[in-house]
Amino acid sequence: MPMEHFDVIVVGAGISGIGAAYHLQTLCPDRSYVILEGREAMGGTWDLFRYPGIRSDSDMYTLGYAFRPWTEAKAIADGPSILNYVKQTAAEYGIDRRIRYRHRVTAAAWSSDEACWTVTATGPEGEAVRFTCSFLFMCSGYYNYARGHAPEFAGREDFAGQVIHPQFWPDDLDCAGKRVVVIGSGATAVTLVPELARTAAHVTMLQRSPTYIVARPAEDRFANWLRSKLPDKLAYGIVRWRNVLFGIWFYNLARRKPAKVKTRLIGMVREELGPDFDVETHFTPRYNPWDQRLCLVPDGDLFAVLREGRASVVTGQIDRFVPEGIRLQNGELLPADVIVTATGLELQVLSDVAFSVDGAPVDFAKTYNYKGMMFSGVPNLASAFGYTNASWTLKADLTSLYVCRLLNALRRKGMRQATPRVAGEDLQPVPFLDFTSGYVQRAIDRFPKQGHRKPWKLNQNYARDLMALKFGSIEREMEFSNPVTAQAQPVGDASSLQHGRAERESTSVEQPQPTRAASMAHHGP
Ligand SMILES: Cc1cc2nc3c(=O)[nH]c(=O)nc-3n(C[C@H](O)[C@H](O)[C@H](O)COP(=O)(O)OP(=O)(O)OC[C@H]3O[C@@H](n4cnc5c(N)ncnc54)[C@H](O)[C@@H]3O)c2cc1C
């Protein structure tokens, strides 16, 4: 059976993969593509996470796609509404028909001879399924779907109640009337605590150290008013830009004047919780704002349950789990019927797919990241990775746009291979992410590096990226080449046989693009 060939394979049908498909079919309509999705459903994060209260922690005017307005009243939206938005987008543009579910990609091998990837996936019956493609676009998210980060707690098996990780929330778990301890202080913990406190006997948020927590209205009144006056698309565009610019301004302010921003953020918590609450211990982080992601709480719901005494916060170190709950190192016992380990995600680089280029395994830690999406020395591969200081989709959208520009440039030039290559010796490595958060630090050694200068430096700034990726040079430190395949060599060409692999032309001379049939001729059954 010949392998199926596509011009582009998109891996993952989450918010990024569906956005990538929209861009491909809009900007490269003559290119064939398929989405390979490992799970049985689309939506990624927004389908996987089912814990009570699951919601966005950035606004939907920027987490939504540039091309499709978010029209619901809530700016901080619940998980099912976001999933619905992704599904509706896929249905509206016929993208849902292009998804192959239960196809988990495990390996991708680039052949310069053939200028294509051979992509191996585990199919619905556990069988190996192979495809080829000219370009591979990884939209596989950034964390392990099979397991969350679960630190070892001594005595875990002694605990008489249930221990739950939010990534695998059981459908039938009922916390009504129970004492719940939520371990963690990140976005998941601050979402769960007020939600569980509605019915639980009591909820304790147990944190090792505090996080910056900011209350924002769940509904954006200005946005809702504007939508009642203007067409959806126009209103969406205006609110989106307002939020983007505010986000950039605030982030820069936090980096330039951390002490001032810290005082203001903590002051806001004091206003919420009143003078008697120990804000110093529980809500004063040891790091500066935006050294880690800020946590947003809609309508101050977390503060409300703390004020009402339905939940409490404890800052301390766990000694061990005991049958009746958790013992802290200071000897205090936190009684619990249910313990939720909101201890975070396990980060992954490109879904841990085994990549190789001409038989040599790719170690992404040894590559430089190009424009936040491609990798030095790795041809025709891009990956959607969103912002850490703004909504993910802002960057994912721009990444898709740039990939389409690159595909069109390849076609225009009659070239088949685009490989980012570092020019000169001056490039200095910089960690890919500058967050001090545990989940980032645990994984950063496996990530590619960024460089200290363009086009290897991450902007983490939508306005700059928009200029760079929509209008900026496609050529800079990008090698366009046409592999000359062994079959394309004159028969009996001794040198090509001797070297066992194709030589590459690396010119900008216009050459005819090989037809798909011609490029497929190399893929035997
Ligand atoms: C609880 C939670 C809340 C969040 N809230 C926000 C927020 O408010 N704002 C924000 O900007 N970001 C938020 N994020 C980050 C969030 O993950 C992104 O915003 C966004 O949903 C990522 O979309 P994605 O499509 O890139 O990745 P994902 O949503 O992770 O989707 C990836 C898809 O690829 C599939 N896949 C992965 N590997 C393979 C493979 N090898 N083969 C085939 N398929 C594969 C997965 O099954 C999945 O369907 C949140 C994350 C979490 C966990």
Side-chain angles (χ1 to χ4, degrees):
M1 262 259 295
M3 280 184 265
E4 262 185 288
H5 179 86
F6 296 92
D7 292 321
V8 183
I9 290 181
V10 175
V11 178
I15 210 164
S16 305
I18 302 301
Y22 166 84
H23 282 87
L24 283 167
Q25 60 189 40
T26 310
L27 301 175
C28 307
D30 56 346
R31 249 53 63 86
S32 60
Y33 82 86
V34 69
I35 302 180
L36 300 182
E37 167 54 56
R39 303 177 68 239
E40 289 177 359
M42 74 171 95
T45 299
W46 305 105
D47 184 68
L48 176 77
F49 279 82
R50 299 292 175 105
Y51 59 76
I54 169 79
R55 59 163 170 81
S56 67
D57 62 0
S58 58
D59 71 275
M60 288 308 298
Y61 300 100
T62 53
L63 188 57
Y65 300 112
F67 60 86
R68 189 162 182 273
W70 173 260
T71 53
E72 292 194 23
K74 281 200 169 171
I76 307 296
D78 58 83
S81 304
I82 303 173
L83 179 60
N84 205 25
Y85 171 78
V86 175
K87 283 185 175 167
Q88 281 176 358
T89 308
E92 193 173 315
Y93 295 100
I95 296 166
D96 48 358
R97 298 194 296 272
R98 315 287 280 270
I99 306 173
R100 307 259 176 109
Y101 291 107
R102 299 180 70 197
H103 278 73
R104 177 149 298 278
V105 173
T106 54
W110 174 260
S111 158
S112 291
D113 289 356
E114 297 172 358
C116 83
W117 289 100
T118 300
V119 174
T120 307
T122 306
E125 311 300 332
E127 76 284 18
V129 192
R130 291 201 174 79
F131 303 86
T132 56
C133 65
S134 309
F135 198 97
L136 186 55
F137 193 179
M138 297 296 293
C139 293
S140 50
Y142 62 103
Y143 61 86
N144 192 333
Y145 269 64
R147 57 174 187 272
H149 173 61
E152 276 303 311
F153 294 113
R156 188 183 168 114
E157 58 296 338
D158 299 343
F159 177 56
Q162 268 178 294
V163 182
I164 308 290
H165 194 287
Q167 197 164 326
F168 308 100
W169 197 270
D171 288 343
D172 56 354
L173 180 67
D174 183 6
C175 291
K178 295 189 178 154
R179 296 160 306 169
V180 185
V181 174
V182 178
I183 303 174
S185 60
T188 301
V190 304
T191 301
L192 272 168
V193 169
E195 187 63 28
L196 296 176
R198 288 163 178 261
T199 57
H202 188 78
V203 182
T204 307
M205 182 168 109
L206 170 58
Q207 58 180 13
R208 206 163 37 179
S209 57
T211 303
Y212 287 103
I213 297 180
V214 185
R216 285 268 297 274
E219 289 197 15
D220 183 331
R221 280 169 50 199
F222 169 72
N224 290 343
W225 173 80
L226 205 62
R227 222 185 29 252
S228 71
K229 304 283 171 213
L230 297 176
D232 282 351
K233 239 185 167 144
L234 182 58
Y236 180 67
I238 293 171
V239 178
R240 187 177 164 85
W241 267 109
R242 181 204 60 178
N243 291 2
V244 162
L245 294 174
F246 175 79
I248 293 173
W249 171 80
F250 181 68
Y251 177 78
N252 287 334
L253 183 71
R255 300 323 272 169
R256 275 201 331 271
K257 299 187 174 168
K260 189 173 162 186
V261 171
K262 181 171 185 166
T263 308
R264 179 72 193 119
L265 292 179
I266 292 164
M268 282 158 59
V269 176
R270 269 211 185 88
E271 284 161 28
E272 291 275 356
L273 292 174
D276 298 333
F277 198 96
D278 186 359
V279 170
E280 179 65 30
T281 304
H282 302 308
F283 288 102
T284 307
R286 297 177 208 135
Y287 55 88
N288 282 329
W290 279 119
D291 281 353
Q292 300 185 14
R293 214 176 156 107
L294 299 192
C295 275
L296 203 146
V297 289
D299 297 330
D301 59 0
L302 175 72
F303 301 129
V305 293
L306 291 175
R307 276 195 309 265
E308 292 156 12
R310 286 187 283 139
S312 50
V313 51
V314 171
T315 305
Q317 299 276 349
I318 294 175
D319 174 31
R320 58 183 296 117
F321 287 15
V322 290
E324 56 277 40
I326 296 177
R327 175 145 2 95
L328 302 181
Q329 284 181 5
N330 66 6
E332 188 183 347
L333 176 77
L334 300 179
D337 304 305
V338 177
I339 296 174
V340 180
T341 53
T343 42
L345 306 166
E346 189 180 290
L347 260 53
Q348 261 185 346
V349 180
L350 298 184
S351 189
D352 275 356
V353 168
F355 282 89
S356 62
V357 171
D358 296 327
V362 178
D363 178 356
F364 285 99
K366 296 200 173 113
T367 66
Y368 278 100
N369 191 272
Y370 180 85
K371 299 191 177 183
M373 68 179 83
M374 294 179 77
F375 307 93
S376 56
V378 186
N380 294 24
L381 172 70
S383 136
F385 198 95
Y387 292 122
T388 49
N389 62 354
S391 283
W392 182 272
T393 319
L394 290 171
K395 179 68 187 288
D397 264 353
L398 287 180
T399 301
S400 296
L401 186 80
Y402 186 86
V403 165
C404 291
R405 284 185 70 203
L406 187 64
L407 291 171
N408 289 338
L410 278 163
R411 171 135 313 174
R412 243 187 355 264
K413 291 168 181 289
M415 294 283 170
R416 294 194 290 164
Q417 185 164 321
T419 315
R421 301 243 184 242
V422 176
E425 306 281 311
D426 68 315
L427 194 64
Q428 288 156 29
V430 176
F432 183 67
L433 299 170
D434 66 354
F435 270 9
T436 57
S437 323
Y439 71 99
V440 170
Q441 291 306 315
R442 281 193 295 274
I444 196 70
D445 289 348
R446 286 180 280 127
F447 273 74
K449 309 278 176 286
Q450 56 167 318
H452 75 289
R453 61 160 174 81
K454 284 187 210 170
W456 308 95
K457 187 173 161 44
L458 289 179
N459 286 323
Q460 296 289 7
N461 179 309
Y462 178 72
R464 269 197 215 147
D465 276 336
L466 181 68
M467 297 310 289
L469 300 178
K470 191 166 182 181
F471 306 109
S473 166
I474 287 268
E475 316 273 336
R476 190 167 172 184
E477 296 184 55
M478 178 69 77
E479 177 191 272
F480 290 93
S481 59
N482 247 346
V484 180
T485 68
Q487 287 197 2
Q489 303 278 327
V491 178
D493 180 325
S495 69
S496 76
L497 292 174
Q498 211 171 22
H499 295 119
R501 51 172 292 197
E503 290 162 7
R504 283 178 299 137
E505 275 184 53
S506 183
T507 71
S508 58
V509 177
E510 295 281 317
Q511 297 193 8
Q513 170 77 1
T515 62
R516 203 176 120 202
S519 71
M520 279 311 296
H522 311 302
H523 308 301

